[in-house]
């Protein structure tokens, strides 16, 4: 019996009592509280509700004339104070009173006329032309000649301009890329494309969809390759063609003269392109 008692308990020699292991653990727990003590933290506050994401910008083709012109002002250096003239731009009021903006006499929804022309020639534009210009549904002409700081490629969306668009002038700018999509678009009233002394490169497209094109100026550009006969045959109304100091090679196709002769209603047969419908043809140094 003594052996069983010794196995079941431990003797506290000081108190001459038998203590079971359970007694020992309970006694130690009373003497020594658990460590570290349990910390009491305040309840975490719920996270603030997340703000909804900003709405996406409206598609460029749905912009108002004011919004389209404000984008032009921002992307072409006006907002940075680069422009030489910026009278009334972004100051409110009728956009038809902004410097360089021409409007029709027809009153549009909102009180002003429709924007039909942008004449920003030599105005120190610096930057790029935005695609928002394609939302100007009545635009007829863009003239930004002489703005050496105007760079980048022409937005392909410009081919969405209305069928009434007639003139694009970007001479002496740093506009680059290949010949714009305007050349193969369905802008049936487009009459003038001036890209003299730009960084335009690439080749002449094989077909133009521009039956009214009268003036095409590609001098001092990096346009290379040959002038395709199919392209020449589609230029029925061409009167002025300048390829001076371009990178074109080969000979001009006879279709170029035939197309111009038919379009200009010249009846007299002549062998020189310059005398057959084309009132001016310059191809020196090509």
């Amino acid at each position: 019996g003594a052996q069983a008692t010794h196995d079941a308990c431990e003797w506290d020699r000081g108190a001459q009592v038998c203590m079971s292991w359970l007694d020992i653990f309970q006694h130690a727990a009373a003497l020594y509280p658990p460590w570290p003590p349990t910390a009491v933290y305040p309840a975490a506050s719920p996270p603030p509700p997340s703000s909804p994401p900003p709405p996406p910008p409206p598609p460029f083709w749905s912009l108002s004339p004011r919004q389209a012109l404000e984008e032009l002002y921002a992307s072409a250096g006006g907002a940075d104070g680069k422009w030489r003239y910026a009278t009334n731009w972004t100051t409110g009021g009728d956009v038809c009173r902004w410097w360089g903006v021409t409007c029709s006499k027809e009153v549009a929804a909102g009180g002003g006329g429709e924007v039909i022309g942008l004449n920003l020639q030599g105005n120190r534009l610096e930057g790029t032309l935005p695609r928002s210009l394609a939302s100007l549904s009545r635009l007829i002409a863009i003239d930004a000649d002489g703005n050496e700081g105007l760079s980048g490629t022409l937005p392909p969306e410009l081919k969405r301009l209305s069928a009434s668009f007639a003139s694009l002038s970007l001479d002496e700018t740093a506009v680059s890329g290949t010949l714009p999509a305007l050349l193969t678009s369905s802008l049936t009233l487009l009459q003038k494309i001036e890209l003299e002394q730009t960084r335009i490169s690439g080749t002449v497209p094989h077909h133009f969809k521009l039956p009214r094109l009268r003036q095409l100026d590609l001098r001092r550009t990096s346009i290379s390759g040959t002038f395709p006969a199919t392209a020449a045959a589609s230029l029925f109304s061409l009167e002025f063609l300048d390829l001076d100091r371009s990178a074109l090679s080969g000979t001009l196709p006879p279709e170029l003269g035939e197309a111009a002769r038919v379009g200009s209603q010249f009846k007299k047969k002549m062998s020189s392109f310059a005398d057959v419908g084309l009132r001016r043809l310059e191809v020196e140094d090509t």
Side-chain angles (χ1 to χ4, degrees):
Q3 182 65 35
T5 302
H6 180 75
D7 294 339
C9 60
E10 293 289 333
W11 286 91
D12 185 339
R13 299 181 184 277
Q16 294 293 313
V17 295
C18 179
M19 300 179 67
S20 67
W21 283 110
L22 179 61
D23 293 333
I24 293 172
F25 286 132
Q26 290 177 342
H27 182 67
L31 292 176
Y32 307 104
W35 185 263
T38 303
V40 178
Y41 298 99
S45 57
S50 59
S51 55
F60 71 90
W61 62 82
S62 67
L63 297 178
S64 68
R66 178 183 299 277
Q67 290 172 318
L69 294 177
E70 286 175 347
E71 284 200 11
L72 169 62
Y73 189 72
S75 67
D80 299 326
K82 305 286 187 180
W83 288 16
R84 176 178 295 171
Y85 304 110
T87 306
N88 294 331
W89 278 76
T90 72
T91 58
D94 187 359
V95 298
C96 298
R97 297 183 180 274
W98 294 6
W99 187 90
V101 177
T102 301
C103 291
S104 65
K105 296 180 180 179
E106 178 184 355
V107 177
E114 294 278 5
V115 176
I116 60 173
L118 295 175
N119 185 358
L120 301 172
Q121 186 176 14
N123 201 37
R124 297 178 183 167
L125 273 63
E126 188 172 313
T128 59
L129 293 176
R131 64 179 185 172
S132 60
L133 292 179
S135 67
L136 298 173
S137 59
R138 299 293 182 88
L139 194 62
I140 295 176
I142 297 175
D143 188 344
D145 291 349
N147 290 288
E148 296 180 356
L150 189 62
S151 59
T153 59
L154 286 177
E157 290 82 4
L158 289 183
K159 67 182 179 181
R160 297 174 61 110
L161 286 165
S162 71
S164 60
F165 188 70
S167 176
L168 177 67
S169 297
L170 296 173
D171 289 346
E172 299 179 20
T173 66
V175 170
S176 60
T178 57
L179 280 175
L182 291 175
L183 294 178
T184 55
S185 65
S186 298
L187 299 176
T188 56
L189 297 183
L190 188 58
Q191 298 182 31
K192 181 171 71 172
I193 297 176
E194 293 185 333
L195 298 172
E196 175 197 355
Q197 204 167 328
T198 61
R199 297 179 183 177
I200 294 292
S201 59
T203 58
V204 177
H206 283 274
H207 186 69
F208 292 87
K209 297 180 180 178
L210 305 173
R212 303 288 183 89
L213 189 65
R214 299 173 56 191
Q215 181 170 337
L216 179 60
D217 191 346
L218 300 175
R219 59 185 146 173
R220 298 175 184 263
T221 65
S222 297
I223 296 297
S224 59
T226 60
F227 204 106
T230 52
S234 64
L235 296 173
F236 300 111
S237 303
L238 197 63
E239 297 179 356
F240 175 94
L241 175 64
D242 198 333
L243 305 173
D244 185 26
R245 299 187 184 182
S246 68
L248 283 170
S249 59
T251 58
L252 290 176
E255 289 84 355
L256 189 60
E258 288 298 314
R261 182 182 64 81
V262 173
S264 302
Q265 298 181 353
F266 277 71
K267 303 299 182 182
K268 187 175 181 180
K269 291 184 178 180
M270 296 185 179
S271 58
S272 170
F273 292 144
D275 295 330
V276 185
L278 281 173
R279 297 177 185 174
R280 182 176 176 188
L281 173 67
E282 294 188 5
V283 292
E284 296 178 3
D285 298 328
T286 57

